[in-house]
Amino acid sequence: MSIRSYLDADVHDKRVLVRVDFNVPLDGAEIRDDTRIRAALPTLRSLLDRRAAVILVSHLGRPKGTSNPAFSLRPIASRLAELLGHPVQFVPEVVGEEASRAVRDLASGNVLLLENVRFEPGEEKNDPALAQRLAELADLFVNDAFGAAHRAHASTEGVAHLLPSYAGALMLAEIDALRRLVDSPRSGFVAIIGGAKVSDKIGVLEHLVERVEALLIGGGMANTFLLESGHQIGSSLAEPDALSDAHKVTALAKTFGTRLLLPNDVVIAPTIDSESIRTVNVTDVPADQSIFDIGPITIDRFSQPIGRAATIFWNGPMGVFEKPQFAHGTLAISRAVAESQAFSVVGGGDSVAAVEAAGVAPRISHISTGGGASLEFVEGRSLPGIEILEQHS
Ligand code: ADP
Ligand code: MG
């Protein structure tokens, strides 16, 4: 199945509605990380060069269907203008008279940004009336918001039923890289899964365990696996409700002959803010201590399959990497992935931040801009925002 590319659309003097993912982390009105804005630039430059009139629509945060200045896209418009080297008109509504007027007056080769689409109650409900009003703003639709492609919302899926619709450059690059993962042979495929919870990622764990040669588990979720295999994990974060999930993944690994690697040494402390840390074997975690990182023996053991891999997928940090005293494992694994000759994909907000912090991002084959979306793609699920862009001829 191929995806319709925006490069094949005749956009000259057309009004093109572009769904972007400008859901960036903010500190008040301060943009903490503009990666997602930068990621949209290739599509926007190409459309402007081809003399399209570009209408941008995005969500930001979870305003839950009502206007809320804390989630306004206004600060994003000025940053985008700087990055693009071209003025960006900001329209303080999504649909309505002002938006219609601004769109009508928008000359080819220019760009405007609509207000946060999640201010509209119809967005997350995929309300056909909102999709219709969005469609009326434009002649064509380009979806470049990979990070929102797993959601069937009015601006990702609904509107694509109503206009000729195409994937943008970022969407196409994400699909290419993630397909390479999904299609890669089992031999040489190594997955590293970490982060806080098993329950967040059970789908991907169950899916990957039969498709990879080795599954390396770290982070908070490893605690649940350790507990399931009979270890005492003290006061570590764990999910008693997910023990049966951990059991299932362990059993599947045995059935399929997948190497399932858990930490054998860990960094422990009495609390997350404590600097009095120790490294112990997983068999020696005292009752009043918690596991916050993987230890050096584990780093070494995980680095071996990573070094030999042909394909790597990594989602979820190996420890509480936000605290310098617990960041060592995640940073070391970042470097091991970067040094590997493998085709490597890193997805997940926190994992990507860790790879950036380690300064190795340029040596990762593909950094996904979508956390949840990349997980669902890797799970082999169909993403509604992508499915609607497929060419059925
Ligand atoms: P991603 O955003 O890459 O998908 P997650 O959101 O699933 O990753 O998980 C990241 C969070 O997991 C981080 O905030 C990190 O502090 C937390 N975490 C990792 N290891 C542990 C641990 N051992 N105990 C508690 N929290 C942990
Ligand atoms: Mg996260």
Side-chain angles (χ1 to χ4, degrees):
M1 198 80 77
S2 71
I3 306 286
R4 287 187 299 272
S5 165
Y6 81 124
L7 292 174
D8 297 330
D10 174 15
V11 299
H12 190 96
D13 283 342
K14 299 272 170 52
R15 291 172 308 157
V16 183
L17 180 71
V18 186
R19 177 56 158 100
V20 284
D21 178 4
F22 287 167
N23 185 28
V24 295
L26 288 179
D27 251 339
E30 188 78 39
I31 298 166
R32 271 197 290 119
D33 178 6
D34 62 8
T35 307
R36 284 181 161 167
I37 307 176
R38 290 175 188 275
L41 295 177
T43 297
L44 304 185
R45 290 204 171 109
S46 162
L47 289 171
L48 295 174
D49 285 351
R50 289 189 280 149
R51 305 294 301 165
V54 176
I55 303 149
L56 299 174
V57 61
S58 176
H59 75 286
L60 174 66
R62 297 178 185 277
K64 304 235 149 87
T66 48
S67 292
N68 179 342
F71 297 103
S72 174
L73 282 170
R74 191 183 288 275
I76 311 305
S78 16
R79 177 64 65 88
L80 175 62
E82 276 168 42
L83 293 171
L84 205 52
H86 192 288
V88 176
Q89 184 190 346
F90 177 70
V91 178
E93 68 177 11
V94 183
V95 287
E97 254 171 59
E98 196 171 349
S100 301
R101 199 174 333 112
V103 163
R104 203 175 46 235
D105 295 344
L106 183 69
S108 296
N110 285 300
V111 53
L112 65 75
L113 173 63
L114 300 171
E115 184 52 288
N116 191 341
V117 70
R118 287 196 188 163
F119 286 2
E120 286 293 325
E123 166 64 358
E124 293 187 70
K125 296 182 190 129
N126 200 4
D127 176 4
L130 177 61
Q132 181 62 42
R133 297 185 77 189
L134 286 168
E136 280 163 9
L137 297 175
D139 305 305
L140 303 170
F141 176 61
V142 171
N143 191 349
D144 214 20
F146 176 74
H150 56 319
R151 307 280 185 231
H153 292 168
S155 70
T156 62
E157 203 266 353
V159 69
H161 287 278
L162 305 172
L163 289 174
S165 297
Y166 304 86
L170 173 63
M171 181 71 92
L172 291 166
E174 290 273 9
I175 294 170
D176 262 6
L178 293 167
R179 269 200 185 144
R180 238 179 109 168
L181 272 191
V182 171
D183 295 343
S184 73
R186 183 163 177 212
S187 150
F189 190 174
V190 172
I192 312 157
I193 308 290
K197 295 202 240 150
V198 175
S199 53
D200 284 347
K201 295 178 185 172
I202 183 62
V204 81
L205 287 169
E206 278 183 20
H207 186 83
L208 285 173
V209 70
E210 28 177 312
R211 287 171 179 81
V212 299
E213 188 175 310
L215 179 58
L216 321 184
I217 296 184
M221 73 158 64
N223 301 339
T224 303
F225 278 85
L226 291 170
L227 192 62
E228 194 278 328
S229 60
H231 292 289
Q232 307 293 319
I233 57 164
S235 42
S236 304
L237 170 88
E239 293 170 283
D241 290 350
L243 281 174
S244 60
D245 289 333
H247 180 79
K248 189 168 174 199
V249 172
T250 309
L252 285 169
K254 283 207 187 81
T255 308
F256 290 99
T258 303
R259 288 184 69 200
L260 179 72
L261 301 191
L262 297 177
N264 8 22
D265 63 336
V266 286
V267 179
I268 57 169
T271 65
I272 202 165
D273 290 313
S274 167
E275 309 238 337
S276 92
I277 63 167
R278 273 196 299 143
T279 301
V280 296
N281 193 285
V282 284
T283 50
D284 300 325
V285 180
D288 60 348
Q289 304 265 320
S290 299
I291 301 171
F292 292 120
D293 197 7
I294 56 174
I297 297 170
T298 305
I299 291 171
D300 206 49
R301 232 172 98 252
F302 281 15
S303 297
Q304 287 166 24
I306 290 171
R308 288 192 305 267
T311 314
I312 297 171
F313 175 60
W314 180 15
N315 175 290
M318 298 289 100
V320 180
F321 75 105
E322 298 93 333
K323 305 273 177 190
Q325 68 271 35
F326 306 123
H328 191 69
T330 303
L331 296 179
I333 295 301
S334 300
R335 287 190 289 271
V337 172
E339 278 160 22
S340 164
Q341 297 300 302
F343 175 73
S344 53
V345 176
V346 179
D350 293 295
S351 329
V352 170
V355 161
E356 303 272 2
V360 298
R363 287 189 283 149
I364 305 295
S365 310
H366 180 75
I367 295 199
S368 181
T369 52
S374 63
L375 284 176
E376 289 196 19
F377 197 109
V378 168
E379 274 174 53
R381 285 160 63 173
S382 152
L383 279 58
I386 294 177
E387 199 179 353
I388 187 77
L389 307 175
E390 280 169 356
Q391 204 135 30
H392 293 278
S393 54

